[in-house]
Amino acid sequence: MSVTEIAEPTEDTSPEEQVWLGLYRQIFRIRSFEERAYRLFMEGLVKGTSHLSLGQEAIAAGFGEAMREDDYTFATYRGHAHTLARGTPMAGVMGELLGRANGVCGGKGGSMHLTSVEHGAMGSYAIIGAHLPIANGAAWSAQVRGTGQVTVCFFGDGTTNIGAFHEALNLAKVWNLPVVFVCENNLYMEYTPIGDVTAVEHPAADRASAYGLESIIVDGNDPDAVCEVATTAIERARDGGGPSLIEAKTYRHGGHSRADPGQYRPDEEVAEWLSRDPVPTYRERLLSRGVAEDVLTGIEVEAAADVDAATEAAKAAPPPAIEAAYTNLWADGGASWRN
Amino acid sequence: MAELITYRDAVARGLAQEMRRDPSVFFIGEDVAAAGGVFKATKGLLEEFGPDRVRDTPISEEAILGAAMGAAMTGLKPVAEIMFSDFLATCWDLVAVEIPKTRYMTDGQVTMPLVIRTANGGGLRFGAQHSQAVENWAMAIPGLKVVAPSNPRDVIGLLAAAIRDPDPVMFFEQKSLYPSKGEVPDGEIVDELGVATTVRSGTDVTIVALASMVPRAVAAAEELDEIGISAEVIDLRSLVPLDTATVIESVKRTSRLVTVEENPRLVGWGAEIVSIVAEECFWHLDGPLTRVTTPHIPLPSADALEDEFLPSVERIVEAAQKVVQ
Ligand SMILES: Cc1ncc(C[n+]2csc(CCOP(=O)(O)OP(=O)(O)O)c2C)c(N)n1
Ligand SMILES: [Mg+2]
């Protein structure tokens, strides 16, 4: 498909509409990428595992839109969306999923460890809770360097029950760090309903007061709502107002990982959440606000073309060279431990 | 000019030396600032560098190391204290899974210039949860550098090297050595990681030791001298990078090796040294490669028992005699 066919927003698109289109572009791109990632997993081209954000796109998009270019993102193993939302090129992300040399981590990270430091995507962490204290460190560094950078750290509902969550929130408050913690509450920790294993109803928001923080809940399927909450929290952090904890209610359309069909979830629950799918819902909203349909179609066509191109680039890329395994353990570029 | 100072004071002096030189060096930990550390090894730093650069933390070992890691990834050179090395188990995810692997997994997109200082080992009758020698745990993790000084001069020189190193360094201070004194030259001291020191030359047997085992090995060598055995003593100083060249060169001359480590028997670092020597200079050997270790038990607290089970001068002498026979 040729790029010239795409209807671009014109110069007289209002700033407000620019934001809406930015959000729609993000959720549609992530949706298209994740659907392709799932297909490639089923085809055996994505090896190991992969955790998709299908259904949860609005959170990555809303924050991505609200962040400054030099802000820091810390994500989990369910991190394709967050890595893409910072502007990491799709080909490098796809290459990493396929274990190819063109991957953003040269094939040494994989689906669960996507990182693109030049885009502020400071890593995807696969140990539950680990990256909350690390996100504090980046925020502390920005604070003492006086750069005004804000750190945004995404994690799941299940993560609110591990010690690192509590240690991190306490320290963030005590040190007044410029960090925003975002709990994507998709109602399940792996296969177990979060309510079955959590002492409070809202796993993040109900804990906020323990750390002197405001209790904030947002509809995680609504890109506008997420972007608004994100903007407020990020601005507060940037202005020296300290950390925030935001609980975004959402739902994953598929299983936890790999080919999990998610059969432990009641049909009515799935149907109810599918009816609130952020992609068609937001499309409808933009049309009702008077956005021209061909502008939306243009975004969709472009995203599809990008996913195709990224897939082709990844498939065409060679596997990492064997010698690459002995590089970049140490800052000198090597992996030697003796003389 | 030189000065006689304690191992404890050397820690503060080493940190101060580096913090004066480099404003991106920060120091955090429990009770380290206002109180000067539970071992009083960081006294005076808060006064000199202020609360921004010398910070007390909550009792949150994961939060401490997470703060150090995130800061290291984004331009600072943090030094984090974990009060007792036993407590590393509470933040082992950071130590073993996050800090050492992130540079590698991102193919070099981040660097991790941080130091984790910790009080390691036995000898103070603290019992099995405050006396473990765990430098071998760290040695088992690809991506960590592992250092353990045996004297005040090396505390300063190796701490400076660790702080200047762009990779994560585990810095094990042997807590029974804190009151020990040693000569320290004036001025800046900076060593190189991965360089062992031959602290005593000999011809019959090579004794390889680390941290508090070094003075014991030297005392053993002096006793051995009296019974006609000439022992060479090597202070490894760093387990990663490992100065195998110095060890191999020595064993080729003496043809015998005894390692002295505080770790419990199984998979202590001595096993690695023995295996390297067995592979790389087997044909030079005239005696069995021998390890002196703590037995494979948690270290008991009673002084009589602790003294019995930590490698003693007597046990080192016996081991050396046996291999030379
Ligand atoms: C410390 C730790 N324990 C267990 C796991 C295995 N595990 C991986 S994902 C997951 C569920 C996490 O749930 P949640 O935080 O809600 O995130 P979600 O996957 O729903 O995005 C578990 C238990 C892990 N990776 N790390
Ligand atoms: Mg969940």
Side-chain angles (χ1 to χ4, degrees):
Chain A
M1 215 160 293
S2 129
V3 182
T4 48
E5 287 170 32
I6 295 165
E8 289 292 335
T10 60
E11 270 177 25
D12 41 60
T13 313
S14 71
E16 199 179 33
E17 193 174 336
Q18 299 268 21
V19 172
W20 301 340
L21 294 178
L23 289 168
Y24 187 68
R25 178 177 292 110
Q26 288 283 17
I27 58 174
F28 199 88
R29 279 171 64 81
I30 296 166
R31 172 65 51 96
S32 309
F33 181 92
E34 294 289 61
E35 283 175 342
R36 178 63 53 85
Y38 185 69
R39 204 172 93 196
L40 295 174
F41 183 85
M42 297 312 273
E43 286 172 11
L45 277 165
V46 173
K47 312 260 167 51
T49 189
S50 97
H51 304 73
L52 306 177
S53 287
L54 287 170
Q56 305 186 192
E57 298 90 345
I59 300 167
F63 274 89
E65 192 66 31
M67 289 171 80
R68 202 168 82 179
E69 209 169 309
D70 62 346
D71 287 341
Y72 297 125
T73 292
F74 284 79
T76 69
Y77 51 88
R78 198 181 301 288
H80 307 172
H82 298 294
T83 308
L84 291 170
R86 296 307 309 281
T88 309
M90 266 189 192
V93 178
M94 196 63 94
E96 196 59 36
L97 264 56
L98 266 64
R100 302 298 165 104
N102 77 325
V104 283
C105 300
K108 285 162 153 175
S111 162
M112 295 205 285
H113 299 294
L114 298 175
T115 304
S116 182
V117 168
E118 61 167 316
H119 297 95
M122 302 303 289
S124 309
Y125 297 80
I127 307 299
I128 297 298
H131 63 309
L132 281 79
I134 303 167
N136 272 346
W140 172 43
S141 147
Q143 183 186 57
V144 299
R145 287 182 291 116
T147 59
Q149 291 162 290
V150 172
T151 298
V152 181
C153 177
F154 301 92
F155 52 91
D157 44 282
T159 304
T160 63
N161 290 326
I162 201 162
F165 167 87
H166 299 273
E167 289 195 14
L169 280 163
N170 183 60
L171 189 73
K173 179 67 181 177
V174 173
W175 286 8
N176 194 42
L177 296 177
V179 59
V180 181
F181 292 106
V182 185
C183 174
E184 302 188 42
N185 182 358
N186 60 11
L187 309 187
Y188 289 84
M189 52 147 288
E190 238 163 35
Y191 316 125
T192 304
I194 193 64
D196 291 0
V197 292
T198 307
V200 291
E201 186 186 351
H202 305 293
D206 288 351
R207 264 82 173 246
S209 67
Y211 303 105
L213 299 173
E214 195 186 328
S215 169
I216 303 172
I217 295 180
V218 64
D219 178 355
N221 280 20
D222 180 341
D224 292 328
V226 172
C227 190
E228 194 186 320
V229 165
T231 303
T232 309
I234 289 169
E235 272 173 14
R236 179 166 55 221
R238 212 180 305 287
D239 294 344
S244 300
L245 172 62
I246 294 165
E247 179 168 336
K249 302 281 191 202
T250 187
Y251 202 71
R252 53 172 155 74
H253 287 180
H256 167 72
S257 65
R258 298 165 55 94
D260 167 29
Q263 274 160 354
Y264 40 87
R265 306 188 302 181
D267 292 344
E268 319 76 71
E269 183 184 277
V270 176
E272 139 76 6
W273 279 93
L274 282 177
S275 75
R276 300 178 43 211
D277 182 340
V279 177
T281 315
Y282 198 58
R283 191 178 205 277
E284 282 307 309
R285 185 185 293 171
L286 294 194
L287 289 175
S288 73
R289 284 174 180 167
V291 174
E293 182 151 28
D294 65 342
V295 173
L296 300 183
T297 313
I299 287 172
E300 291 156 6
V301 167
E302 188 184 17
D306 282 356
V307 172
D308 283 341
T311 308
E312 288 320 307
K315 282 182 175 171
I322 298 299
E323 312 81 65
Y326 293 101
T327 63
N328 277 327
L329 179 63
W330 308 122
D332 69 7
S336 157
W337 52 270
R338 59 174 290 186
N339 56 7
Chain B
M1 278 291 288
E3 198 190 349
L4 202 60
I5 71 168
T6 61
Y7 190 93
R8 172 196 330 277
D9 290 343
V11 172
R13 179 161 149 192
L15 278 167
Q17 173 187 300
E18 293 309 297
M19 292 183 78
R20 271 177 217 134
R21 187 186 62 87
D22 183 349
S24 65
V25 178
F26 285 71
F27 175 49
I28 60 173
E30 294 161 19
D31 290 324
V32 299
V38 291
F39 294 103
K40 300 293 168 232
T42 58
K43 247 175 32 194
L45 295 176
L46 173 67
E47 289 72 14
E48 179 170 357
F49 299 102
D52 266 355
R53 291 182 69 195
V54 181
R55 285 201 184 188
D56 283 322
T57 66
I59 310 165
S60 301
E61 277 73 11
E62 286 185 281
I64 294 169
L65 295 193
M69 173 170 165
M73 288 165 70
T74 54
L76 303 191
K77 295 199 187 98
V79 178
E81 175 175 311
I82 297 296
M83 193 186 285
F84 283 73
S85 62
D86 312 75
F87 309 163
L88 288 169
T90 70
C91 49
W92 197 239
D93 175 49
L94 269 302
V95 178
V97 186
E98 313 297 339
I99 287 168
K101 297 188 170 62
T102 300
R103 178 182 177 81
Y104 184 81
M105 290 198 308
T106 63
D107 205 23
Q109 290 183 62
V110 298
T111 38
M112 207 64 75
L114 64 83
V115 176
I116 301 173
R117 287 184 44 242
T118 189
N120 189 48
L124 297 184
R125 292 62 167 111
F126 284 167
Q129 295 187 339
H130 285 71
S131 304
Q132 298 176 84
V134 302
E135 67 275 12
N136 60 323
W137 297 1
M139 190 190 191
I141 312 292
L144 291 178
K145 293 183 177 173
V146 184
V147 175
S150 68
N151 62 78
R153 201 217 75 92
D154 283 4
V155 166
I156 300 170
L158 291 173
L159 189 53
I163 291 170
R164 295 181 193 195
D165 196 276
D167 295 311
V169 180
M170 301 290 295
F171 195 82
F172 289 96
E173 293 158 19
Q174 218 291 348
K175 64 174 88 68
S176 73
L177 291 178
Y178 282 128
S180 67
K181 287 190 174 162
E183 288 263 315
V184 170
D186 290 343
E188 185 179 90
I189 308 175
V190 191
D191 287 335
E192 199 183 321
L193 301 185
V195 180
T197 311
T198 303
V199 287
R200 192 181 191 284
S201 301
T203 51
D204 298 329
V205 56
T206 299
I207 305 178
V208 176
L210 188 73
S212 64
M213 296 298 108
V214 174
R216 292 184 190 201
V218 170
E222 277 155 15
E223 283 190 23
L224 286 163
D225 222 22
E226 285 166 21
I227 53 172
I229 295 173
S230 163
E232 178 145 306
V233 178
I234 293 175
D235 178 355
L236 273 185
R237 300 162 95 231
S238 122
L239 295 177
V240 182
L242 187 61
D243 184 358
T244 54
T246 296
V247 175
I248 288 170
E249 186 278 325
S250 171
V251 175
K252 280 184 176 168
R253 274 189 290 102
T254 64
S255 72
R256 297 176 189 92
L257 173 72
V258 173
T259 61
V260 189
E261 69 210 277
E262 223 191 297
N263 304 137
R265 175 79 197 190
L266 300 186
V267 218
W269 57 258
E272 192 58 57
I273 305 291
V274 161
S275 116
I276 290 167
V277 167
E279 261 183 69
E280 299 180 27
C281 46
F282 184 78
W283 305 110
H284 294 266
L285 296 175
D286 286 325
L289 301 168
T290 299
R291 295 173 60 205
V292 180
T293 74
T294 297
H296 207 64
I297 52 171
L299 201 63
S301 128
D303 48 358
L305 294 178
E306 199 181 41
D307 291 343
E308 177 68 23
F309 293 126
L310 286 175
S312 59
V313 173
E314 200 185 340
R315 277 171 59 207
I316 301 167
V317 168
E318 270 170 31
Q321 269 182 304
K322 237 166 120 180
V323 300
V324 171
Q325 255 170 26

